[in-house]
């Protein structure tokens, strides 16, 4: 027997792990119970191609004979930053400048998770914007795909134009 997501209250939890190349991952519910399958298609319907391990997540679920699986992502919050580990790229930038940086539309040029960085282009601007994997993780994402639409906050840093916050385009539109 299958229980539909409309009959069950939303589930709150943390992403145990998610692997975009495998197309799935698992969520651990705050209330306990079995791991919950999170399929890439469900995540894409939310407007993201990845999610960071440890991210807070609110999902609708369905119980099937094969276990519990997410049917809809309702909300994602980035994982808690590790205490005492500020990003050195931003330590000399005026906090007010960072707080007032607008979200700008961008497309991923390339991103290499193994190298820990990549680049995006802001619509209408020729300069590349550097994206560090730690900024991505703190924004609740784990990986980016070439051509993926983003909304990013950019500041001038040690390496030139740098993203300090990254959002999936669909998520940023709802802000």
């Amino acid at each position: 027997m299958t229980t539909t997501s409309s009959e069950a209250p939303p589930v709150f939890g943390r992403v145990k792990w998610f692997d975009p190349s495998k197309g799935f991952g698992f969520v651990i519910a705050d209330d306990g119970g079995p791991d919950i399958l999170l399929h890439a298609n469900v995540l894409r319907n939310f407007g993201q191609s990845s999610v960071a391990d440890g991210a807070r997540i609110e999902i609708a679920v369905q119980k099937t004979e094969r276990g519990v699986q997410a049917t809809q992502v309702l909300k994602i919050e980035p994982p808690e930053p590790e205490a005492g580990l500020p990003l050195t790229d931003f330590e000399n930038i005026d906090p007010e400048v960072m707080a007032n940086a607008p979200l700008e539309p961008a497309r991923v040029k390339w991103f290499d998770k193994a190298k820990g960085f990549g680049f995006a282009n802001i619509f209408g601007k020729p300069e590349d914007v550097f994206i560090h994997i730690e900024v991505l993780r703190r924004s609740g994402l784990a990986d980016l795909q070439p051509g993926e639409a983003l909304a990013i906050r950019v500041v001038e840093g040690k390496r030139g134009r740098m993203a300090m916050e990254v959002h999936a385009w669909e998520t940023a539109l709802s802000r």
Side-chain angles (χ1 to χ4, degrees), residues 53-75:
D53 296 350
R56 298 276 315 142
I57 192 165
E58 180 182 350
I59 52 178
V61 300
Q62 170 178 298
K63 293 179 182 171
T64 70
E65 284 122 19
R66 295 184 64 188
V68 182
Q69 62 185 30
T71 57
Q72 182 180 11
V73 175
L74 305 170
K75 185 176 182 181

Side-chain angles (χ1 to χ4, degrees), residues 2 15 18 23 28 47 49 51 95 129 138 144 150 164 168:
T2 301
V15 175
F18 186 85
I28 301 170
S49 63
V51 62
V129 176
R138 290 182 183 198
L144 296 173
L150 304 173
M164 58 173 231

Side-chain angles (χ1 to χ4, degrees), residues 7-175:
E7 297 171 11
V11 172
F12 298 87
R14 289 204 178 277
V15 175
K16 183 175 184 179
W17 61 267
F18 186 85
D19 186 335
S21 63
K22 290 183 179 180
F24 69 93
F26 290 93
V27 172
I28 301 170
D30 290 346
D31 296 337
D35 289 355
I36 301 165
L37 175 68
L38 176 59
H39 194 272
N41 289 336
V42 173
L43 193 56
R44 272 193 287 277
N45 288 340
F46 183 70
Q48 291 187 198
S49 63
S50 69
V51 62
D53 296 350
R56 298 276 315 142
I57 192 165
E58 180 182 350
I59 52 178
V61 300
Q62 170 178 298
K63 293 179 182 171
T64 70
E65 284 122 19
R66 295 184 64 188
V68 182
Q69 62 185 30
T71 57
Q72 182 180 11
V73 175
L74 305 170
K75 185 176 182 181
I76 295 175
E77 295 176 3
E80 296 291 322
E82 295 177 31
L85 294 176
L87 292 175
T88 57
D89 291 330
F90 305 121
E91 64 189 10
N92 295 324
I93 299 174
D94 182 348
E96 193 168 322
V97 169
M98 291 182 9
N100 292 320
L103 279 173
E104 298 185 74
R107 287 239 181 248
V108 176
K109 188 173 181 180
W110 64 268
F111 190 84
D112 187 327
K113 189 174 179 179
K115 289 181 180 177
F117 68 92
F119 291 91
N121 296 112
I122 301 289
F123 179 73
K125 296 183 182 176
E127 309 89 13
D128 287 347
V129 176
F130 178 80
I131 301 175
H132 191 276
I133 193 151
E134 187 60 22
V135 170
L136 200 62
R137 190 186 78 73
R138 290 182 183 198
S139 297
L141 299 168
D143 202 357
L144 296 173
Q145 302 303 313
E148 188 171 347
L150 304 173
I152 59 179
R153 293 191 199 280
V154 179
V155 294
E156 287 295 329
K158 294 178 189 177
R159 308 169 198 233
R161 292 179 52 80
M162 300 170 40
M164 58 173 231
E165 191 176 327
V166 179
H167 299 278
W169 181 249
E170 291 84 356
T171 305
L173 289 176
S174 64
R175 290 180 177 252

